[in-house]
Amino acid sequence: MMHKSKIFWFLTSLMLCVGARSQLRTDFYSKSCPNLLSIVRKEVKNAIKNEARMAASLLRLHFHDCFVNGCDASLLLDGKDSEKFALPNLNSARGFEVIDSIKEAVENACSCVVSCADILTIAARDSVVLSGGPWWKVLLGRRDGLVANQTGANVLLPSPFESLDRIIAKFADFGLNLTDVVALSGGHTIGLSRCALFSHRISNFSGTGAPDSTLDSRVIPRLQAACPADSDGNNTFPLDVNSRDSFDGHYFENLVKGRGILQSDQILFSSESATSTTRDIVRLYASDPAVFSNDFANAMIKMGNVKTLTGSNGEIRGNCRVVNS
Ligand code: HEM
Ligand SMILES: *[C@@H]1O[C@H](CO)[C@@H](O)[C@H](O)[C@H]1NC(C)=O
Ligand SMILES: *[C@@H]1O[C@H](CO)[C@@H](O)[C@H](O)[C@H]1NC(C)=O
Ligand SMILES: *[C@@H]1O[C@H](CO)[C@@H](O)[C@H](O)[C@H]1NC(C)=O
Ligand SMILES: *[C@@H]1O[C@H](CO)[C@@H](O)[C@H](O)[C@H]1NC(C)=O
């Protein structure tokens, strides 16, 4: 028969163990998949070598995952009710094949151990680093969700046409504050936007017969050339006019000059309702990119902690596109 104190010790350590598993940790896979980080890094590097834009696309996938049912890889699930068909993702979210090949490489090394949600998180960090941005330690131990939430994706993801107050509120719902809103918007220092999402700004803005007055008149001809009035809105333009593939502070310098491409970018600096606070943070980042780098890394860690599944919740998907049968 087990001695009473032994039983106590056993139960206590069991609880500690379960407790520890419900926290994300940097060394979560150090025993179960010791080469995980280098495997993901190599795959992301290859993908970016094939197409520089892929860094931006992978970073955005992590964001769009975390804002819907938490960072649980729900975005990766296929199907007609998937998040992929929600308005903010349709013909827009990309990089799913790259996630598939990272998952395949990871499965070959350590089968059924690493979640798709963690793969997205690591790939986002590596995309930033490989584009010249900051590095941070990634917390791991997320598990994959069992359902997609198309309605959630439509309702929760911010739209480029929304007011600053609405955008701030959507971030606040996930515990992300003004600093996080501005820092994370700096993700737009890389990547592209379709014309359809900003063309209303380049002529007859809000029925005024003129362009958006917060837009620098010197970039208007470039935007008009990239987005002819008779085109279908699928042409693209860099979100950071000067340096589309480099993760730097130019995005914020652009906002100060009225060169934010999306309305939702420029209002961080120009909105009248804007609390001077977002404007002050934009000014700070424009003048000191090191502060941006530091705040961006911290905000990414905060975003990566949104409503994660841990312990025995959810599952480790074998294929990121389908739940295990
Ligand atoms: C603040 C609210 C945000 C709004 C309204 C917004 C909106 C958009 C829009 C409209 C696009 C272009 C999509 C298209 O062309 O189909 C875009 C692209 C992008 N977004 Fe955001 N976004 C926001 C926040 C973020 C955050 C927090 C991140 C990551 C930290 C991010 C990363 C990106 C990246 C990297 C791209 C380029 C993707 C590519 O080239 O494939 N965005 N965003
Ligand atoms: C989907 O997201 C909405 C909006 O947050 C939420 O109310 C709903 O419960 C979610 N549905 C599922 C199945 O998780
Ligand atoms: C936002 O939260 C971070 C900590 O997560 C903090 O350092 C920062 O000062 C906060 N910003 C604002 C505007 O409250
Ligand atoms: C501008 O928009 C307004 C309102 O939508 C419309 O009545 C007007 O005809 C437009 N003007 C031009 C030049 O397109
Ligand atoms: C843009 O491209 C998508 C996918 O190729 C297509 O389905 C859509 O109809 C195009 N948009 C317009 C406005 O033509």
Side-chain angles (χ1 to χ4, degrees), residues 6 11 14 27 31 53-54 63 69 84 161-162 169 200 210 315:
K6 256 192 179 160
L11 288 175
L14 199 74
D27 64 349
K31 293 212 173 65
R53 182 187 181 187
M54 192 49 67
F63 162 50
N69 287 15
K84 295 175 182 179
F161 308 108
E162 265 175 323
H200 66 294
E315 64 178 13

Coordinates of all heavy atoms in Angstrom, one line a residue, residues 6 11 14 27 31 53-54 63 69 84 161-162 169 200 210 315:
K6 N 3.3 9.6 0.3 CA 3.7 9.3 -1.1 C 2.5 9.6 -2.1 O 2.7 10.2 -3.2 CB 4.1 7.9 -1.2 CG 5.5 7.6 -1.3 CD 5.9 6.2 -1.8 CE 7.3 6.0 -1.9 NZ 7.7 4.6 -1.8
L11 N 0.0 12.9 -6.2 CA -1.1 13.8 -6.7 C -0.6 15.2 -6.9 O -1.0 15.8 -7.9 CB -2.2 13.8 -5.6 CG -3.0 12.5 -5.5 CD1 -4.1 12.6 -4.4 CD2 -3.7 12.2 -6.8
L14 N 1.3 15.4 -10.1 CA 0.4 15.2 -11.2 C -0.2 16.6 -11.5 O -0.3 17.0 -12.7 CB -0.7 14.2 -10.9 CG -1.4 13.6 -12.0 CD1 -0.5 12.6 -12.8 CD2 -2.7 12.9 -11.6
D27 N 10.6 26.1 -24.4 CA 11.2 24.8 -24.6 C 10.3 23.7 -24.7 O 10.6 22.5 -24.4 CB 12.2 24.6 -23.4 CG 11.5 24.4 -22.1 OD1 10.3 24.8 -22.0 OD2 12.1 24.0 -21.1
K31 N 12.5 18.2 -26.0 CA 12.7 16.8 -26.0 C 12.0 16.1 -27.1 O 12.5 15.2 -27.8 CB 12.3 16.2 -24.6 CG 13.1 16.7 -23.5 CD 13.2 15.6 -22.4 CE 14.2 16.0 -21.3 NZ 13.7 17.2 -20.6
R53 N 7.6 37.9 -51.1 CA 6.3 38.3 -50.5 C 5.8 37.2 -49.5 O 5.0 37.6 -48.7 CB 5.2 38.5 -51.6 CG 3.9 38.9 -51.1 CD 2.8 39.0 -52.1 NE 1.5 39.4 -51.5 CZ 0.4 39.4 -52.2 NH1 0.3 39.0 -53.4 NH2 -0.7 39.8 -51.6
M54 N 6.3 36.0 -49.6 CA 5.7 34.9 -48.8 C 6.0 35.3 -47.3 O 5.2 34.9 -46.4 CB 6.4 33.6 -49.1 CG 5.7 32.4 -48.5 SD 3.9 32.4 -48.6 CE 3.7 32.1 -50.4
F63 N -1.7 36.2 -37.7 CA -2.6 37.3 -37.2 C -4.0 36.8 -37.5 O -4.9 36.8 -36.5 CB -2.3 38.6 -37.9 CG -3.3 39.6 -37.9 CD1 -4.0 40.0 -36.7 CD2 -3.7 40.3 -39.1 CE1 -4.9 41.0 -36.7 CE2 -4.7 41.3 -39.1 CZ -5.3 41.6 -37.9
N69 N -11.2 32.5 -32.9 CA -11.1 31.4 -32.0 C -9.7 31.2 -31.3 O -9.3 30.1 -31.0 CB -11.4 30.1 -32.7 CG -12.9 29.9 -32.9 OD1 -13.7 30.9 -32.8 ND2 -13.4 28.8 -33.3
K84 N -11.3 30.4 -44.7 CA -10.7 30.8 -45.9 C -11.7 31.5 -46.8 O -11.3 32.3 -47.7 CB -10.1 29.6 -46.6 CG -8.9 28.9 -45.9 CD -8.4 27.7 -46.5 CE -7.3 27.1 -45.6 NZ -6.8 25.8 -46.2
F161 N -11.6 49.5 -44.1 CA -12.6 50.6 -44.2 C -13.1 51.0 -42.8 O -13.9 52.0 -42.7 CB -13.8 50.2 -45.1 CG -13.3 49.7 -46.4 CD1 -13.4 48.3 -46.7 CD2 -12.7 50.5 -47.4 CE1 -13.0 47.8 -47.9 CE2 -12.3 50.0 -48.6 CZ -12.4 48.6 -48.9
E162 N -12.7 50.4 -41.8 CA -13.3 50.7 -40.4 C -12.6 51.9 -39.8 O -11.5 52.3 -40.2 CB -13.0 49.5 -39.5 CG -14.2 48.5 -39.5 CD -13.9 47.3 -38.6 OE1 -12.8 46.8 -38.7 OE2 -14.8 46.8 -38.0
A169 N -11.1 48.8 -30.7 CA -12.0 48.0 -29.9 C -11.8 46.5 -30.3 O -11.8 45.6 -29.4 CB -13.4 48.4 -30.2
H200 N -10.7 53.5 -53.3 CA -11.7 54.6 -53.0 C -11.0 55.9 -52.5 O -11.6 56.9 -52.4 CB -12.7 54.1 -51.9 CG -12.0 53.9 -50.5 ND1 -11.1 52.9 -50.3 CD2 -12.1 54.5 -49.4 CE1 -10.7 52.9 -49.1 NE2 -11.3 53.9 -48.5
A210 N -12.7 64.4 -54.9 CA -11.2 64.5 -54.8 C -10.7 63.3 -54.1 O -11.4 62.6 -53.4 CB -10.9 65.8 -54.0
E315 N -6.3 19.3 -30.3 CA -5.5 18.1 -30.7 C -4.2 18.5 -31.5 O -4.1 19.7 -31.7 CB -6.4 17.2 -31.7 CG -6.7 18.0 -33.0 CD -7.6 17.1 -34.0 OE1 -8.1 16.1 -33.5 OE2 -7.7 17.5 -35.1

